[in-house]
Amino acid sequence: MKYDVVIGLEIHAQLNTESKIFSLSPTRFGADVNTQANEVDLAMPGVLPVLNEQAVIKAIKFGIATDCKINNRSIFERKNYFYPDLPKAYQISQFEYPIVGAGILEITNEKNELKNIGITRAHLEEDAGKSLHENFTKHSGIDLNRAGTPLLEIVSDPDLSSAKEAVIYAKKIHALVVYIEICDGNMQEGSFRCDANVSLKPRGTKELGIRSEIKNINSFKFLEKAINYEINRQENILDDGGRVVQETRLYDADKNETRSMRSKEESNDYRYFPDPDLLPVIIDNKLIQNIKDKMPESPYNRLKRFIDDLDLKEEDANLLCSDIKIADYFENIIKIGNLKPKLVANWIIVELMGIINKNNKKWQDNKINEQDFATLLQRITDNTISGKIAKQVFAVMWDKGDKPDNIIKKEGLQQLDNDDEIKSIITDIINKNPAQVQQYKDGKHKIIGFFVGQIMQQTKGKANPAKVQEILKQQLS
Amino acid sequence: MHTKSIKELHKLLTDKKISAVELAQHFIDRALKHNPSLNCYINILSDEAKQQAKIADDKIFKKEGSLLTGIPFALKDIFCTSDMLTTCGSKMLSDFIPPYDATAYKNLKSSDMVLLGKTNMDEFAMGSSNENSFFGCVQNPWDLDCVPGGSSGGSAVAVAGGLSPVAIGTDTGGSIRQPASFCGITGIKPTYGRVSRYGMIAFASSLDQGGVMAKSAEDCAYVLQSLSGYDKKDSTSMPEDVPSYTESLNNSIKGKKIGLPTEYFANLDDDLKQIITTQIKEFEKLGAIIVDISLPHTDLSVPAYYVISSAECSSNLARYDGVRYGYSAKNPKNLEDLYLKTRTEGFGDEVKRRILIGTYTLSAGYYDAYYIKAQKIRHLIADDFNQAFAQVDILLTPTTPTTAFKKGDKQNPLEMYLSDIYTVAVNLSGLPAISIPAGFHQKMPVGMQLISPAFCEHRLLNFAHMYQAQTDHHLQTPSQVPQEKIL
Amino acid sequence: MNIDDVRLSADLSKITIDDKKIDSYLTDMQDILKFIEQMNAIDTDNITPMAHPFDLSQRLREDKAVAQIDRQILQSNAKNIENGLFLVPKVIE
């Protein structure tokens, strides 16, 4: 039988705060075990949670950037279950009243169709610790460094209909949370993890099938593979006339399969109720407006503007909008130097990104400031130097961090722009090459390239090529 | 000595009639002598007390002390004290030594008060008789066969027996006021949020509140002043300024209106009603006006209280799993077995019963019928009080339906729950209330409760103090504990 | 409420009720629930539930990390520690 695939994603984005959501412990990744887990994270008797302001602000930023509803009143509730990585035996989460309500995200799917994916909600909660199984035979070791790290759980509607589509959606959310700087997006370190709810139903029917939930997928590649494995598994079950069991499954990347997590199934009555240690979070519209005012333009808007207004190629615009720092850099250079967007885009993408990649560096390693970059490009447009010379200057800027004007001056790279000087060089060359002059006069106009080459050689490329052409033509005719 | 007020002790200290070390030693000696029969302390801290007293003496010598410098106190064993055993009356925490201080304790320490010991209590503060302590029942000094009330029974007896001039308790459904009433002392439960809950081991978070138990309202005022205040570590702590509780103690209450909620007297034992009615006349003598008032949802307060407190407790006590601290079952077969054995062996019957009830009322299919319903009733109860306080300044009620009962008398948990019938509505509404001695019935103390609007502890203390200034019930001491004199 | 409800609540609470005691637990709990159900005597349809004594909003704290007290001290109450990890019987996922 043919089936429709129905997928919903729950994305857990760790918010990049300095301290945990309810305790003062640092959230830094990679510290020695249990050195970032204080008495609150250890759920010692009598300790209490206090909410981190930045966690709330970052959740609101997500809501603003996705145009989701931001709820003026949200409630933290306790989700009760026993698990060794959950020291209180309840997770503080949001249930009935999440901080961010419904919204819509538009994606271009693998068939190149525009599709609206509903965001059901996004809520704040605390991350759990980690159970470590290596190095022990009869035991597991519990590290609570991660316990209490703020998470934004972004829940989609079951609108996704293929593994590829799910990945496109997840990538778009990933790019967004990185762009608005609420999450570092580091998937290896678990800063961005996906749970996928997958179910099948006979093609064209309405009623949803029984779903399984694949937990904790931490790469886009695995997300695609895990979903496809799960689709396949369920298809086989249904084709054989069986029933899919509603359960939580774990994706094993080594074996490329999902398997049932029995341990999580035992108690599924979470007994949510409002956490009496915390009060309702009240967000007034003024606060939302304040955050909005300080927020950068949404990446989608910016992308559209780069393509439509700045006339960039979609590919280039995408590249520039992949990181807010790059996009800002790009626009600031345009503004400072009053430059053409295409020129700046080319220089950033070809030259700057080229040199970064060649040296195995990251964007953060770029030390050329916007002012210097703008000055360099201005020297091209004001004909001080040619584009070719500019590349030389740029290389020195990258290596030595010197200012472009200093480099041009020091190395004597200034373009020859003086009419008289160029004229005398040209006269000299014409006089030395009578044969070629004759060829030109006989109508072989292509020979002009020979003269330009000679002139450039003599001026070490500094002569203004446009001027050279102009004066050459005058003198030859 | 042990019958003296804080003000008198303060004068002896500043006049150098006695040192803080000697004062502490006096109470430690009394505690060591009488605790074997009263069992009000789980842990007597002789060495620590002397150390703290030395620091206090230093401050007194340098004239840097406050009124509370060098005054000894007892602390309910529900408050975490760093490097000192904190058991919460439970086997589960019978070896627990916290690495941090409860804010309430820290506040008293910074006033240079001297900690004598940690007091006995019902396990995790669940109980009204102190019979639920892992460390054995506390005896009521007025009649050793009677219970002292609970859950702050140890604190009440430490004060009533003269084993400490003042004690700190907690009150979730009456746990300060009911034992204060049973033991003939004064006990105040402040407004929810007045005293930080940080480091105070949670029973029911939206109801728990620390407070003071002492011989008089005046003593309560001094100590509550230091105990109270905003704490950034407790999200439910109130940022409101704490007014001076002592300045207004002697304000006239002439013309003030005292409301008598009819529901609180309707089923009261005739003898007790008689006693309290007589005491109301004392307030009239002071010029107060007595009016009848109605709190129509009173009879639903105990049901709502048991739903809410049990639900919160079932979640608050889930962290005791034998992994990070506390009792841990030996040789578990697997993880599930560790949890089951630890919790089954570590908790007493009453605690288990409440965890089960709480879990049940929160579970799928019952949440709305029990938990949400109780929260709605809670709203109605709070509204009753709001309406009452639009008409009167303060409410006066009995604290308990009976005087202290005999140990083992109440076998049925429900019967025990009903002994909180006059106290739980106050917790549900977050209001402050004080229990003051109002006389005796068959030689056992009778308590009377005053309730005020939120953040009006000063009013409670003022009314109670004016009453105590012209009566002597609070000055009576139990003959069961010999009152030897030192000075 | 029946025996199964008691068992389910016990299971969710990770508490074992001795077979010998389960009847008395059931009786007590039935009594308590019956008592609690007095609440049903009044209509509360238009009443909002009150989770907290006062209608206040959550305070937010500044995002500033503070180093914890020494791990060894924090773990001094634990019975089973190895290389800074809390040990539990093997977790099967």
PDB file of all heavy atoms in Angstrom, chain A residues 392-411:
ATOM      1  N   GLN A 392      46.418  42.537  -4.312  1.00  0.00           N
ATOM      2  CA  GLN A 392      47.732  42.537  -3.676  1.00  0.00           C
ATOM      3  C   GLN A 392      47.659  43.233  -2.314  1.00  0.00           C
ATOM      4  O   GLN A 392      48.180  42.753  -1.321  1.00  0.00           O
ATOM      5  CB  GLN A 392      48.685  43.351  -4.563  1.00  0.00           C
ATOM      6  CG  GLN A 392      49.793  42.573  -5.208  1.00  0.00           C
ATOM      7  CD  GLN A 392      50.552  43.524  -6.155  1.00  0.00           C
ATOM      8  OE1 GLN A 392      50.117  43.753  -7.283  1.00  0.00           O
ATOM      9  NE2 GLN A 392      51.632  44.078  -5.665  1.00  0.00           N
ATOM     10  N   VAL A 393      46.996  44.404  -2.318  1.00  0.00           N
ATOM     11  CA  VAL A 393      46.867  45.183  -1.081  1.00  0.00           C
ATOM     12  C   VAL A 393      46.094  44.373  -0.034  1.00  0.00           C
ATOM     13  O   VAL A 393      46.458  44.308   1.140  1.00  0.00           O
ATOM     14  CB  VAL A 393      46.150  46.529  -1.354  1.00  0.00           C
ATOM     15  CG1 VAL A 393      45.953  47.303  -0.061  1.00  0.00           C
ATOM     16  CG2 VAL A 393      46.919  47.345  -2.374  1.00  0.00           C
ATOM     17  N   PHE A 394      45.030  43.732  -0.530  1.00  0.00           N
ATOM     18  CA  PHE A 394      44.188  42.953   0.371  1.00  0.00           C
ATOM     19  C   PHE A 394      44.997  41.843   1.062  1.00  0.00           C
ATOM     20  O   PHE A 394      44.867  41.619   2.276  1.00  0.00           O
ATOM     21  CB  PHE A 394      43.028  42.338  -0.416  1.00  0.00           C
ATOM     22  CG  PHE A 394      42.138  41.459   0.399  1.00  0.00           C
ATOM     23  CD1 PHE A 394      41.211  42.024   1.261  1.00  0.00           C
ATOM     24  CD2 PHE A 394      42.231  40.074   0.324  1.00  0.00           C
ATOM     25  CE1 PHE A 394      40.392  41.210   2.035  1.00  0.00           C
ATOM     26  CE2 PHE A 394      41.417  39.261   1.095  1.00  0.00           C
ATOM     27  CZ  PHE A 394      40.481  39.836   1.945  1.00  0.00           C
ATOM     28  N   ALA A 395      45.859  41.198   0.297  1.00  0.00           N
ATOM     29  CA  ALA A 395      46.666  40.117   0.875  1.00  0.00           C
ATOM     30  C   ALA A 395      47.561  40.645   1.992  1.00  0.00           C
ATOM     31  O   ALA A 395      47.725  40.001   3.032  1.00  0.00           O
ATOM     32  CB  ALA A 395      47.498  39.450  -0.209  1.00  0.00           C
ATOM     33  N   VAL A 396      48.095  41.835   1.789  1.00  0.00           N
ATOM     34  CA  VAL A 396      48.945  42.430   2.813  1.00  0.00           C
ATOM     35  C   VAL A 396      48.104  42.819   4.054  1.00  0.00           C
ATOM     36  O   VAL A 396      48.516  42.615   5.195  1.00  0.00           O
ATOM     37  CB  VAL A 396      49.703  43.668   2.272  1.00  0.00           C
ATOM     38  CG1 VAL A 396      50.572  44.294   3.355  1.00  0.00           C
ATOM     39  CG2 VAL A 396      50.535  43.278   1.060  1.00  0.00           C
ATOM     40  N   MET A 397      46.927  43.347   3.767  1.00  0.00           N
ATOM     41  CA  MET A 397      46.022  43.701   4.885  1.00  0.00           C
ATOM     42  C   MET A 397      45.741  42.462   5.750  1.00  0.00           C
ATOM     43  O   MET A 397      45.735  42.521   6.970  1.00  0.00           O
ATOM     44  CB  MET A 397      44.692  44.256   4.350  1.00  0.00           C
ATOM     45  CG  MET A 397      44.784  45.688   3.825  1.00  0.00           C
ATOM     46  SD  MET A 397      43.322  46.119   2.845  1.00  0.00           S
ATOM     47  CE  MET A 397      42.107  46.379   4.123  1.00  0.00           C
ATOM     48  N   TRP A 398      45.449  41.353   5.102  1.00  0.00           N
ATOM     49  CA  TRP A 398      45.128  40.118   5.829  1.00  0.00           C
ATOM     50  C   TRP A 398      46.346  39.623   6.635  1.00  0.00           C
ATOM     51  O   TRP A 398      46.224  39.270   7.792  1.00  0.00           O
ATOM     52  CB  TRP A 398      44.679  39.033   4.834  1.00  0.00           C
ATOM     53  CG  TRP A 398      44.498  37.687   5.468  1.00  0.00           C
ATOM     54  CD1 TRP A 398      45.439  36.713   5.577  1.00  0.00           C
ATOM     55  CD2 TRP A 398      43.345  37.185   6.118  1.00  0.00           C
ATOM     56  NE1 TRP A 398      44.935  35.631   6.246  1.00  0.00           N
ATOM     57  CE2 TRP A 398      43.635  35.894   6.595  1.00  0.00           C
ATOM     58  CE3 TRP A 398      42.046  37.704   6.341  1.00  0.00           C
ATOM     59  CZ2 TRP A 398      42.706  35.104   7.276  1.00  0.00           C
ATOM     60  CZ3 TRP A 398      41.123  36.922   7.019  1.00  0.00           C
ATOM     61  CH2 TRP A 398      41.465  35.639   7.479  1.00  0.00           C
ATOM     62  N   ASP A 399      47.513  39.682   5.985  1.00  0.00           N
ATOM     63  CA  ASP A 399      48.719  39.164   6.637  1.00  0.00           C
ATOM     64  C   ASP A 399      49.209  40.066   7.760  1.00  0.00           C
ATOM     65  O   ASP A 399      49.523  39.598   8.850  1.00  0.00           O
ATOM     66  CB  ASP A 399      49.865  39.028   5.611  1.00  0.00           C
ATOM     67  CG  ASP A 399      49.713  37.769   4.785  1.00  0.00           C
ATOM     68  OD1 ASP A 399      48.928  36.897   5.212  1.00  0.00           O
ATOM     69  OD2 ASP A 399      50.355  37.671   3.726  1.00  0.00           O
ATOM     70  N   LYS A 400      49.308  41.366   7.444  1.00  0.00           N
ATOM     71  CA  LYS A 400      49.985  42.269   8.374  1.00  0.00           C
ATOM     72  C   LYS A 400      49.048  43.167   9.152  1.00  0.00           C
ATOM     73  O   LYS A 400      49.473  43.864  10.072  1.00  0.00           O
ATOM     74  CB  LYS A 400      50.993  43.132   7.595  1.00  0.00           C
ATOM     75  CG  LYS A 400      51.951  42.311   6.710  1.00  0.00           C
ATOM     76  CD  LYS A 400      53.373  42.792   6.827  1.00  0.00           C
ATOM     77  CE  LYS A 400      54.341  41.800   6.189  1.00  0.00           C
ATOM     78  NZ  LYS A 400      54.712  42.189   4.812  1.00  0.00           N
ATOM     79  N   GLY A 401      47.788  43.221   8.728  1.00  0.00           N
ATOM     80  CA  GLY A 401      46.832  44.081   9.418  1.00  0.00           C
ATOM     81  C   GLY A 401      47.069  45.567   9.175  1.00  0.00           C
ATOM     82  O   GLY A 401      46.584  46.404   9.929  1.00  0.00           O
ATOM     83  N   ASP A 402      47.820  45.911   8.138  1.00  0.00           N
ATOM     84  CA  ASP A 402      48.098  47.325   7.870  1.00  0.00           C
ATOM     85  C   ASP A 402      46.906  47.997   7.173  1.00  0.00           C
ATOM     86  O   ASP A 402      46.038  47.323   6.619  1.00  0.00           O
ATOM     87  CB  ASP A 402      49.357  47.409   6.979  1.00  0.00           C
ATOM     88  CG  ASP A 402      50.086  48.726   7.187  1.00  0.00           C
ATOM     89  OD1 ASP A 402      49.541  49.596   7.903  1.00  0.00           O
ATOM     90  OD2 ASP A 402      51.205  48.864   6.629  1.00  0.00           O
ATOM     91  N   LYS A 403      46.899  49.344   7.199  1.00  0.00           N
ATOM     92  CA  LYS A 403      45.810  50.082   6.536  1.00  0.00           C
ATOM     93  C   LYS A 403      46.043  50.120   5.035  1.00  0.00           C
ATOM     94  O   LYS A 403      47.197  50.235   4.592  1.00  0.00           O
ATOM     95  CB  LYS A 403      45.753  51.517   7.068  1.00  0.00           C
ATOM     96  CG  LYS A 403      45.549  51.587   8.559  1.00  0.00           C
ATOM     97  CD  LYS A 403      44.269  52.336   8.888  1.00  0.00           C
ATOM     98  CE  LYS A 403      43.944  52.309  10.367  1.00  0.00           C
ATOM     99  NZ  LYS A 403      43.000  51.235  10.739  1.00  0.00           N
ATOM    100  N   PRO A 404      44.987  50.064   4.215  1.00  0.00           N
ATOM    101  CA  PRO A 404      45.171  50.000   2.758  1.00  0.00           C
ATOM    102  C   PRO A 404      45.959  51.197   2.213  1.00  0.00           C
ATOM    103  O   PRO A 404      46.833  51.019   1.373  1.00  0.00           O
ATOM    104  CB  PRO A 404      43.744  49.967   2.212  1.00  0.00           C
ATOM    105  CG  PRO A 404      42.853  50.318   3.344  1.00  0.00           C
ATOM    106  CD  PRO A 404      43.570  49.986   4.606  1.00  0.00           C
ATOM    107  N   ASP A 405      45.647  52.410   2.697  1.00  0.00           N
ATOM    108  CA  ASP A 405      46.335  53.576   2.157  1.00  0.00           C
ATOM    109  C   ASP A 405      47.823  53.531   2.460  1.00  0.00           C
ATOM    110  O   ASP A 405      48.652  53.931   1.642  1.00  0.00           O
ATOM    111  CB  ASP A 405      45.715  54.878   2.689  1.00  0.00           C
ATOM    112  CG  ASP A 405      44.400  55.186   1.978  1.00  0.00           C
ATOM    113  OD1 ASP A 405      44.207  54.661   0.854  1.00  0.00           O
ATOM    114  OD2 ASP A 405      43.575  55.929   2.543  1.00  0.00           O
ATOM    115  N   ASN A 406      48.154  53.038   3.660  1.00  0.00           N
ATOM    116  CA  ASN A 406      49.576  52.900   4.019  1.00  0.00           C
ATOM    117  C   ASN A 406      50.276  51.945   3.084  1.00  0.00           C
ATOM    118  O   ASN A 406      51.398  52.201   2.643  1.00  0.00           O
ATOM    119  CB  ASN A 406      49.718  52.350   5.446  1.00  0.00           C
ATOM    120  CG  ASN A 406      49.428  53.419   6.474  1.00  0.00           C
ATOM    121  OD1 ASN A 406      49.372  54.597   6.123  1.00  0.00           O
ATOM    122  ND2 ASN A 406      49.250  53.013   7.718  1.00  0.00           N
ATOM    123  N   ILE A 407      49.613  50.833   2.808  1.00  0.00           N
ATOM    124  CA  ILE A 407      50.218  49.815   1.945  1.00  0.00           C
ATOM    125  C   ILE A 407      50.445  50.385   0.546  1.00  0.00           C
ATOM    126  O   ILE A 407      51.511  50.246  -0.033  1.00  0.00           O
ATOM    127  CB  ILE A 407      49.323  48.561   1.883  1.00  0.00           C
ATOM    128  CG1 ILE A 407      49.161  47.967   3.283  1.00  0.00           C
ATOM    129  CG2 ILE A 407      49.918  47.510   0.939  1.00  0.00           C
ATOM    130  CD1 ILE A 407      48.086  46.910   3.405  1.00  0.00           C
ATOM    131  N   ILE A 408      49.431  51.067   0.032  1.00  0.00           N
ATOM    132  CA  ILE A 408      49.517  51.633  -1.324  1.00  0.00           C
ATOM    133  C   ILE A 408      50.681  52.605  -1.404  1.00  0.00           C
ATOM    134  O   ILE A 408      51.496  52.582  -2.333  1.00  0.00           O
ATOM    135  CB  ILE A 408      48.189  52.334  -1.697  1.00  0.00           C
ATOM    136  CG1 ILE A 408      47.079  51.287  -1.824  1.00  0.00           C
ATOM    137  CG2 ILE A 408      48.343  53.138  -2.994  1.00  0.00           C
ATOM    138  CD1 ILE A 408      45.687  51.864  -1.896  1.00  0.00           C
ATOM    139  N   LYS A 409      50.793  53.434  -0.322  1.00  0.00           N
ATOM    140  CA  LYS A 409      51.831  54.448  -0.305  1.00  0.00           C
ATOM    141  C   LYS A 409      53.215  53.791  -0.178  1.00  0.00           C
ATOM    142  O   LYS A 409      54.133  54.061  -0.950  1.00  0.00           O
ATOM    143  CB  LYS A 409      51.594  55.376   0.882  1.00  0.00           C
ATOM    144  CG  LYS A 409      52.118  56.793   0.658  1.00  0.00           C
ATOM    145  CD  LYS A 409      51.588  57.716   1.749  1.00  0.00           C
ATOM    146  CE  LYS A 409      52.677  58.698   2.171  1.00  0.00           C
ATOM    147  NZ  LYS A 409      52.298  59.336   3.444  1.00  0.00           N
ATOM    148  N   LYS A 410      53.306  52.916   0.820  1.00  0.00           N
ATOM    149  CA  LYS A 410      54.593  52.290   1.111  1.00  0.00           C
ATOM    150  C   LYS A 410      55.129  51.532  -0.100  1.00  0.00           C
ATOM    151  O   LYS A 410      56.303  51.582  -0.432  1.00  0.00           O
ATOM    152  CB  LYS A 410      54.437  51.307   2.284  1.00  0.00           C
ATOM    153  CG  LYS A 410      55.231  51.752   3.528  1.00  0.00           C
ATOM    154  CD  LYS A 410      55.295  50.623   4.554  1.00  0.00           C
ATOM    155  CE  LYS A 410      54.136  50.745   5.515  1.00  0.00           C
ATOM    156  NZ  LYS A 410      54.000  49.587   6.396  1.00  0.00           N
ATOM    157  N   GLU A 411      54.254  50.820  -0.759  1.00  0.00           N
ATOM    158  CA  GLU A 411      54.703  49.970  -1.851  1.00  0.00           C
ATOM    159  C   GLU A 411      54.627  50.696  -3.191  1.00  0.00           C
ATOM    160  O   GLU A 411      54.861  50.094  -4.243  1.00  0.00           O
ATOM    161  CB  GLU A 411      53.852  48.689  -1.907  1.00  0.00           C
ATOM    162  CG  GLU A 411      53.630  48.106  -0.539  1.00  0.00           C
ATOM    163  CD  GLU A 411      54.066  46.664  -0.423  1.00  0.00           C
ATOM    164  OE1 GLU A 411      54.073  45.961  -1.446  1.00  0.00           O
ATOM    165  OE2 GLU A 411      54.436  46.259   0.708  1.00  0.00           O
TER     166      GLU A 411
END
